[in-house]
């Protein structure tokens, strides 16, 4: 169920006269859209978005949930890309679908949006869970993905999931709506020589861990942030007697009292993780 196949089927079924005209979405199903410019009504095939058996229980919400919210919105095709006018302006259709957790993208440029949808528990429609955002980093560093996920929940939990665009300053978290907003704020902080802030899903302290990234922009690349956090945790484990000590040091350094409380919070989140 890839975006490229989804969009390709759209183009195949479109009459050429539709390409130059803005239409409005009248109805959406999992296989087609009905679009209209008033007197002119067209059927646009979307291509069957086949869900694997584990996801069949979500098919009804696909039809009546997010896709229904597209009804009445203007839609247009520019080049080979669909745009829907939603919120503040025109947004790429595939971006909306990926961000809402309905599609896994082929385009690496949309991977942050896809991973964010998993961390915010929107990925059920693609049969994927938040845990999968941590698997690669865990495997590469010899760390349990459940532990990584539980640490991330402890560090950057908001609205029931991990908020990837979190910046914490002196114990006060700020949850930014977009990656771009978080990066802009962080750059302003750095420009004013204020580097004592925790960033991203693993909340790495920029003053101590900036060397793990090529730039502050990269620190808000979800996969790279999680990999950096996993690498740091593995380094701590190599000089600790057990995982509990490594987890405590991840957050509190040598502060034993803070570390004990932190480990308990991680354990509590570990118990809550549902797949």
């Amino acid at each position: 169920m890839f975006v490229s196949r989804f969009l390709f089927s759209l183009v195949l079924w479109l009459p050429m006269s539709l390409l130059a005209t803005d239409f409005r979405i009248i109805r959406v199903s999992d296989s087609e859209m009905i679009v209209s410019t008033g007197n002119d009504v067209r059927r646009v095939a979307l291509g069957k978005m086949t869900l694997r058996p584990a996801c069949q229980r979500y098919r009804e919400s696909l039809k009546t949930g997010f896709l229904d919210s597209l009804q009445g919105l203007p839609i247009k095709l520019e080049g080979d890309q669909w745009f829907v006018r939603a919120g503040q302006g025109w947004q790429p259709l595939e971006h909306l679908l990926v961000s809402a957790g309905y599609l896994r993208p082929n385009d690496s440029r949309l991977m942050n949006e896809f991973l964010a949808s998993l961390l915010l528990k929107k990925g059920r429609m693609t049969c994927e869970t938040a845990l999968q955002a941590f698997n690669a980093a865990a495997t590469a560093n010899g760390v349990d993905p459940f532990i990584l996920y539980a640490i991330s929940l402890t560090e950057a939990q908001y609205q029931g999931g991990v908020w990837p665009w979190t910046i914490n300053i002196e114990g006060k978290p700020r949850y930014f709506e977009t990656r771009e907003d978080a990066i802009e704020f962080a750059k302003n902080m750095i420009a004013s020589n204020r580097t004592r802030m925790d960033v991203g899903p693993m909340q790495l302290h920029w003053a101590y861990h900036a060397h793990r990234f090529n730039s502050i922009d990269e620190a808000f690349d979800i996969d790279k942030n999680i990999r950096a956090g996993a690498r740091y945790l593995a380094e701590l484990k190599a000089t600790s007697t057990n995982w509990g000590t490594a987890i405590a040091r991840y957050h509190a350094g040598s502060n034993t009292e803070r570390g004990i409380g932190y480990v308990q919070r991680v354990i509590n989140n570990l118990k809550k993780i549902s797949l």
Side-chain angles (χ1 to χ4, degrees):
M1 190 168 60
F2 294 105
V3 170
S4 59
R5 185 176 63 188
F6 174 80
L7 296 177
F8 182 64
S9 63
L10 276 173
V11 175
L12 283 180
W13 282 77
L14 272 176
M16 290 303 295
S17 61
L18 182 57
L19 303 186
T21 308
D22 290 356
F23 276 64
R24 190 170 294 276
I25 301 171
I26 303 302
R27 185 171 64 82
V28 185
S29 70
D30 62 346
S31 62
E32 67 178 12
M33 286 191 300
I34 306 298
V35 298
S36 171
T37 56
N39 296 327
D40 190 4
V41 178
R42 307 284 179 87
R43 176 175 280 109
V44 181
L46 298 180
K48 198 69 172 177
M49 293 196 291
T50 303
L51 304 178
R52 296 197 293 272
C55 293
Q56 291 301 312
R57 63 187 180 277
Y58 300 111
R59 179 172 292 280
E60 192 59 33
S61 64
L62 173 64
K63 293 179 180 179
T64 61
F66 175 74
L67 293 183
D68 273 1
S69 71
L70 299 177
Q71 291 185 21
L73 298 179
I75 185 169
K76 65 181 180 180
L77 186 67
E78 292 184 357
D80 61 353
Q81 190 171 28
W82 278 94
F83 289 83
V84 176
R85 194 163 70 196
Q88 298 300 314
W90 292 98
Q91 300 182 43
L93 176 60
E94 67 267 38
H95 179 101
L96 290 177
L97 292 170
V98 168
S99 298
Y102 284 89
L103 292 175
R104 168 184 273 276
N106 260 343
D107 190 340
S108 61
R109 291 172 297 181
L110 291 175
M111 191 52 65
N112 260 312
E113 284 78 1
F114 175 69
L115 291 176
S117 77
L118 295 187
L119 295 183
L120 296 172
K121 300 184 178 180
K122 298 178 181 178
R124 296 287 188 174
M125 294 303 301
T126 56
C127 302
E128 298 177 85
T129 69
L131 183 67
Q132 290 178 253
F134 298 88
N135 284 340
T139 300
N141 292 280
V143 177
D144 189 317
F146 284 90
I147 291 178
L148 272 187
Y149 183 19
I151 288 175
S152 191
L153 277 171
T154 306
E155 292 283 348
Q157 187 169 185
Y158 183 61
Q159 294 186 353
V162 174
W163 198 266
W165 323 130
T166 299
I167 296 177
N168 190 303
I169 301 171
E170 298 179 351
K172 297 179 180 179
R174 300 186 182 209
Y175 306 105
F176 293 88
E177 185 174 351
T178 69
R179 178 174 183 255
E180 291 72 23
D181 290 343
I183 290 172
E184 181 181 4
F185 181 88
K187 284 183 175 179
N188 289 335
M189 290 283 291
I190 293 169
S192 60
N193 293 318
R194 299 174 64 194
T195 59
R196 299 184 64 81
M197 57 183 172
D198 305 326
V199 299
M202 296 302 295
Q203 287 291 279
L204 290 162
H205 194 74
W206 185 251
Y208 301 144
H209 297 287
H211 67 279
R212 298 182 185 274
F213 305 98
N214 291 321
S215 66
I216 189 62
D217 298 60
E218 193 172 277
F220 288 97
D221 179 298
I222 293 173
D223 181 60
K224 291 178 180 178
N225 187 285
I226 291 174
R227 286 178 182 272
R231 191 158 51 248
Y232 177 46
L233 183 63
E235 292 168 3
L236 292 172
K237 174 60 174 65
T239 57
S240 300
T241 56
N242 54 56
W243 279 110
T245 302
I247 293 169
R249 291 172 62 198
Y250 183 94
H251 178 76
S254 59
N255 188 321
T256 303
E257 185 176 349
R258 281 185 62 204
I260 291 173
Y262 181 77
V263 171
Q264 188 57 57
R265 288 163 57 201
V266 171
I267 291 173
N268 290 341
N269 278 318
L270 193 59
K271 293 177 181 177
K272 297 175 184 177
I273 292 176
S274 59
L275 299 182

